[in-house]
Amino acid sequence: MHVVVVGGGVIGLSSALYLAREGLQVTLVERNEDIALETSFANGGQLSYNYVAPLAAPSVFANLPRWLLASDSPLRLQPRLDFQQWRWCLAFLRACRASRVERTVSEMLRLSQRSQMLLEQLLQRTPIDFNLRQTGKLIIHRSQASLGAAVRLAELQQQAGSQQRLLTPSQCSDLEPTLSGVVGQLAGGIFTPAEATADCRLFCEGLKRHLDGMANVRFKLGQAVSGFTKMGKRITALKLGNETLEADAFVIASGIASVGLLKPLGISLPLYALRGYSLSVQLADANALPRLSVTDASRKIVYAPLGSTLRIAAMVDMGVRSAEAPKRRIDLLKAQVSELFPALDLRRAQAWAGLRPATALGKPIIDRAPEWENLWLNVGHGALGFTLACASGEMIARRIIQGRPHESDAPFSLAAHR
């Protein structure tokens, strides 16, 4: 059986890996000249297996009016005369209900914890150097209201087997000494010890090296899909410029580009691009790095130590269509970072922006495409693509081989997002 995977980010590579391990012939198609050049290139670097918090939440709903109007907001909306934008926004508002959030968290934790186990198994068989460290994750809160909401979320996650600790401000500083200068501004924190940080791009490069060594895998880089060849309810081939690539099954794992790619087939994916930003700061003094993965809840900024680099990721811009990094947003991010870590020299920080392919519910779509017998979807992971990659790849491979879904797959069906 020959399967074509479209997309050379962490989701496409993971899909190719688990398909190839089952003995299938796999061809991975990527429009860029190399893998991991878009959303997987410089993301937040956090592997959040046990603290899953969807963007849609009651606290976000309460803050939306202020955030959408404030110039320093972590969440900004650029309104457009775009039906898909407003449909997605309405679905997002519905997803902010407490009951919906509780269900989503429970569903996502099962997938993320499976992904953690699979990554451990993968690294036992295939060592990859991608700056993986079990740092633990500390989320700091500046108000009692924010901390109270976080405690309720932690209690929900603990029911699913996660381990978290509530910390006082001084305990936050003891655990992460680089926070000593702002301890007086804190209400407390939530610490999840089993979380990790790692470099997603290096992980992708390691996966590619491993796949290159498998006789049943080949890559077609620098080739964009221009269309499909169809017969009845089956896709028979992809069109790649002047070339036609035939296969028995096709997996679409190309992030936000999947929306336009599938539209000619009558498939309307409930995805929207959320532009996020990051800074990569090289530090000569390792002692200047936070030892932990730190999240500033009020600013929605994450800090992940990656070897000698500190990766700082933040902000969500809705209604944008390009992955550019406007100077005003980068300058704002630098100013907010300097409030928490004033000793950081950000003058040479490498700025980056990427388009996160998000569903309103905050969970991915891993399913067969409607009306097509051999077309599969592995899309919509938002900010958790790195975290969920292994489990998502395993699930799509199992679905293709078995042909029918397992009961546990239902939360990630396309129908679950309608």
Side-chain angles (χ1 to χ4, degrees):
M1 184 178 185
H2 179 206
V3 182
V4 170
V5 177
V6 181
V10 70
I11 299 299
L13 288 161
S14 297
S15 301
L17 173 70
Y18 285 94
L19 287 162
R21 280 189 169 181
E22 294 296 329
L24 280 63
Q25 296 292 320
V26 178
T27 300
L28 188 144
V29 176
E30 164 58 40
R31 63 183 180 179
N32 294 299
E33 295 296 331
D34 202 354
I35 51 92
L37 291 182
E38 296 189 30
T39 309
S40 297
F41 183 78
N43 63 23
Q46 290 189 336
L47 291 167
S48 296
Y49 296 117
N50 298 282
Y51 195 98
V52 175
L55 180 61
S59 60
V60 171
F61 183 82
N63 283 309
L64 274 179
R66 176 174 59 86
W67 281 352
L68 295 178
L69 294 174
S71 60
D72 61 348
S73 167
L75 174 62
R76 299 201 70 184
L77 171 67
Q78 182 175 323
R80 293 184 177 274
L81 293 175
D82 179 355
F83 173 74
Q84 185 174 355
Q85 180 187 66
W86 293 106
R87 183 178 65 175
W88 191 93
C89 288
L90 288 173
F92 179 83
L93 293 177
R94 290 196 298 270
C96 288
R97 293 173 297 168
S99 60
R100 176 66 264 186
V101 172
E102 290 179 8
R103 189 158 73 251
T104 298
V105 167
S106 177
E107 294 164 348
M108 291 286 282
L109 279 173
R110 287 196 294 271
L111 190 65
S112 63
Q113 290 168 354
R114 175 68 179 169
S115 205
Q116 182 179 30
M117 184 184 73
L118 289 170
L119 178 63
E120 292 170 358
Q121 293 175 355
L122 167 64
L123 296 179
Q124 288 172 5
R125 294 177 54 178
T126 311
I128 299 173
D129 184 5
F130 60 113
N131 287 325
L132 176 65
R133 282 182 54 204
Q134 185 175 320
T135 58
K137 180 175 182 175
L138 175 62
I139 304 180
I140 57 173
H141 295 268
R142 298 171 187 261
S143 72
Q144 288 297 332
S146 176
L147 183 62
V151 168
R152 291 190 290 274
L153 177 61
E155 290 171 347
L156 175 64
Q157 293 174 135
Q158 286 167 1
Q159 295 173 14
S162 298
Q163 295 183 355
Q164 276 111 22
R165 300 205 310 264
L166 173 64
L167 304 181
T168 65
S170 60
Q171 288 173 328
C172 290
S173 178
D174 291 341
L175 197 62
E176 180 46 72
T178 57
L179 296 174
S180 59
V182 296
V183 66
Q185 303 173 24
L186 305 182
I190 301 290
F191 180 60
T192 309
E195 306 296 59
T197 59
D199 190 313
C200 184
R201 179 178 60 83
L202 292 181
F203 179 67
C204 290
E205 292 175 351
L207 283 183
K208 183 178 184 298
R209 286 193 297 271
H210 176 63
L211 290 166
D212 275 334
M214 301 179 73
N216 57 330
V217 178
R218 62 173 176 159
F219 285 82
K220 284 188 170 292
L221 303 179
Q223 299 196 45
V225 176
S226 58
F228 299 87
T229 301
K230 301 160 281 186
M231 180 178 293
K233 293 186 176 182
R234 295 182 64 83
I235 304 297
T236 57
L238 292 182
K239 297 176 183 178
L240 304 175
N242 295 325
E243 180 184 357
T244 298
L245 180 59
E246 297 181 350
D248 301 296
F250 301 84
V251 177
I252 305 301
S254 50
I256 199 62
S258 305
V259 176
L261 188 62
L262 294 175
K263 192 173 182 180
L265 296 177
I267 300 170
S268 179
L269 290 178
L271 303 184
Y272 205 67
L274 305 182
R275 187 167 66 195
Y277 301 87
S278 76
L279 301 171
S280 297
V281 186
Q282 293 286 337
L283 297 176
D285 182 6
N287 293 324
L289 281 169
R291 297 180 302 187
L292 309 177
S293 169
V294 177
T295 297
D296 185 345
S298 66
R299 294 296 195 184
K300 305 295 183 187
I301 302 176
V302 303
Y303 301 83
L306 306 176
S308 61
T309 299
L310 180 63
R311 177 69 50 76
I312 304 166
M315 300 183 182
V316 173
D317 284 353
M318 304 166 61
V320 296
R321 294 173 177 168
S322 72
E324 66 177 1
K327 184 177 183 300
R328 65 184 183 281
R329 289 297 261 172
I330 296 301
D331 287 347
L332 172 61
L333 176 55
K334 288 181 177 180
Q336 293 176 339
V337 169
S338 295
E339 293 174 2
L340 191 64
F341 294 113
L344 280 180
D345 184 357
L346 301 176
R347 289 174 296 180
R348 295 184 179 178
Q350 293 182 329
W352 173 87
L355 299 178
R356 302 165 184 158
T359 65
L361 290 173
K363 60 182 183 177
I365 299 167
I366 309 170
D367 197 7
R368 179 158 42 194
E371 307 301 327
W372 298 98
E373 295 176 354
N374 63 336
L375 182 63
W376 299 86
L377 311 172
N378 199 356
V379 298
H381 295 73
L384 291 174
F386 193 12
T387 296
L388 301 175
C390 288
S392 299
E394 181 200 46
M395 184 186 295
I396 202 68
R398 173 172 49 77
R399 289 291 309 274
I400 290 172
I401 292 167
Q402 295 180 354
R404 55 180 177 272
H406 186 272
E407 182 181 349
S408 62
D409 300 339
F412 307 102
S413 67
L414 182 59
H417 293 77
R418 296 280 165 97

